[in-house]
Amino acid sequence: MSPLAGTVEENVRGHLAAELCCAPDQIAGDAQLASLAGLDSIKLLRVVSELERGYDIKVDDDKLYELRTVADLAELVHTEIREQTQGQLSQ
Amino acid sequence: MATQWHSWHGLGPRSVAVHRAGAVVLTAVGAQSRTADTLHPAEMAVLAQRPEARRADFVVGRRAARLCLRTLGVGGPVLGTPGGRPLFPPLVAGSISHSAGVGVCAAVRGSRYAIGVDLEQIGQLTLAHTGHLCAPGEEAWVRAAGPGAGPVRMTMLFSAKEAIYKALTAITTRPPTFPRITLRRRPGGFTALIAPGSRGWDPSAVRVRRLDRFVLAWVCIGREQSINPST
């Protein structure tokens, strides 16, 4: 799966679904990460690493530990994409 | 009920195992095991509040905790904090982890301790995941192991840091991120060093043990020795 094939929200849900062996539509955007069956720290780390590779971004560790919901993760990816794009444009 | 490490090998859904490491008691309970350790009525009430998808993990973890408390000679339920962490009875420090249908618990009597335990299956992490895990020097240690043992070392690092993180959440609201925890090898595990200026914890010994397809890590930190008053 290429994370660039859809929206950030779709790709976040897609990667979580692939990790948890379920359908993406079973993962609601407002779902608490702690409520997703089978999601633990190690799987979340794998999902974030996949998103980083797909979008060529680096997520700040401190922000990673503050994530609560699926939407938080999507917003974090959005923010990192935006900040790193602005950084490249200003160079 | 076996009390030696050999009973922990072949850890799986039917396992029941106990180990004493000094004052710390470690227990493992598989989801299909037969033990007398059922949930306390107050734990059943907490269970009802949990998302359905998380209930099996909750049950196996609490059963491991019941066995651990029974071994320590302590009664009472293990409730939950608003943040979802286990809340052990007064004067007991404890921690719970679960993986692949196995729950583990580590607990110790006394109010001066913070404890963390973690159980992970080997093979979930590769060198592609070092960015959010490794402190300087640790990636080289993983790479030096080669493709066969590298994933084992990755899991050892992760599990050790997860155990430290869980122990520190009982002491501080903001534990250090994994890359700020530097692990130095020592017999039976690692010594943890927290990056200067980040959170300021003293070195702590984290024990790590490979159990076939799993890695088990635990750490017991004395509160007084852990808090650096200069930070």
Side-chain angles (χ1 to χ4, degrees):
Chain A
M1 173 186 171
S2 166
L4 299 177
T7 66
V8 168
E9 286 76 10
E10 288 169 346
N11 289 311
V12 165
R13 285 169 41 220
H15 280 292
L16 284 167
E19 192 64 49
L20 301 178
C21 301
C22 66
D25 60 10
Q26 290 180 265
I27 296 176
D30 61 353
Q32 295 281 323
L33 292 169
S35 73
L36 299 179
L39 187 66
D40 54 20
S41 303
I42 211 164
K43 289 191 172 76
L44 182 60
L45 189 152
R46 285 162 52 103
V47 168
V48 170
S49 296
E50 286 295 319
L51 290 165
E52 287 180 323
R53 265 196 298 281
Y55 287 107
D56 194 22
I57 56 173
K58 177 76 174 77
V59 172
D60 183 82
D61 280 306
D62 287 317
K63 295 175 183 170
L64 197 56
Y65 286 61
E66 295 167 0
L67 295 175
R68 293 293 175 267
T69 66
V70 175
D72 288 344
L73 177 54
E75 179 55 33
L76 178 57
V77 172
H78 269 302
T79 301
E80 297 294 345
I81 292 171
R82 191 164 52 242
E83 289 181 357
Q84 291 178 37
T85 301
Q86 289 171 348
Q88 288 164 359
L89 290 173
S90 66
Q91 286 177 358
Chain B
M1 187 184 304
T3 58
Q4 301 302 316
W5 276 121
H6 63 74
S7 69
W8 289 68
H9 289 282
L11 206 57
R14 296 183 189 281
S15 293
V16 179
V18 178
H19 182 77
R20 284 185 180 272
V24 176
V25 171
L26 291 151
T27 54
V29 170
Q32 297 169 22
S33 64
R34 293 181 180 180
T35 72
D37 300 294
T38 55
L39 267 58
H40 186 283
E43 293 170 337
M44 293 295 290
V46 176
L47 175 67
Q49 304 298 317
R50 292 297 162 102
E52 193 165 338
R54 289 290 195 169
R55 291 182 183 173
D57 288 340
F58 180 92
V59 170
V60 79
R62 286 308 193 276
R63 288 181 63 208
R66 299 290 294 166
L67 175 58
C68 202
L69 291 180
R70 186 158 60 85
T71 306
L72 279 172
V74 177
V78 177
L79 302 175
T81 68
R85 289 190 293 111
L87 184 62
F88 280 76
L91 303 181
V92 174
S95 178
I96 295 172
S97 181
H98 39 70
S99 179
V102 178
V104 295
C105 179
V108 62
R109 281 175 176 266
S111 59
R112 296 180 297 110
Y113 300 105
I115 196 165
V117 68
D118 186 60
L119 181 71
E120 300 291 348
Q121 287 191 91
I122 294 166
Q124 298 187 82
L125 295 174
T126 69
L127 283 168
H129 304 114
T130 56
H132 293 291
L133 174 61
C134 292
E138 292 173 353
E139 184 173 337
W141 180 66
V142 173
R143 288 186 183 279
V152 178
R153 289 188 176 182
M154 282 288 286
T155 310
M156 291 170 69
L157 289 174
F158 181 92
S159 194
K161 294 188 182 194
E162 181 77 357
I164 293 166
Y165 187 89
K166 290 167 81 170
L168 293 182
T169 55
I171 302 173
T172 175
T173 55
R174 199 170 175 84
T177 60
F178 285 6
R180 293 194 180 109
I181 302 171
T182 300
L183 298 178
R184 302 276 188 243
R185 280 178 296 154
R186 55 175 284 166
F190 301 101
T191 295
L193 305 166
I194 310 303
S198 58
R199 297 295 184 270
W201 302 94
D202 287 344
S204 301
V206 55
R207 309 296 176 93
V208 180
R209 191 167 188 97
R210 182 178 178 181
L211 300 164
D212 299 327
R213 65 190 172 114
F214 293 100
V215 166
L216 175 71
W218 76 98
V219 63
C220 182
I221 304 171
R223 288 176 188 255
E224 291 86 350
Q225 75 180 41
S226 300
I227 298 172
N228 182 340
S230 65
T231 58

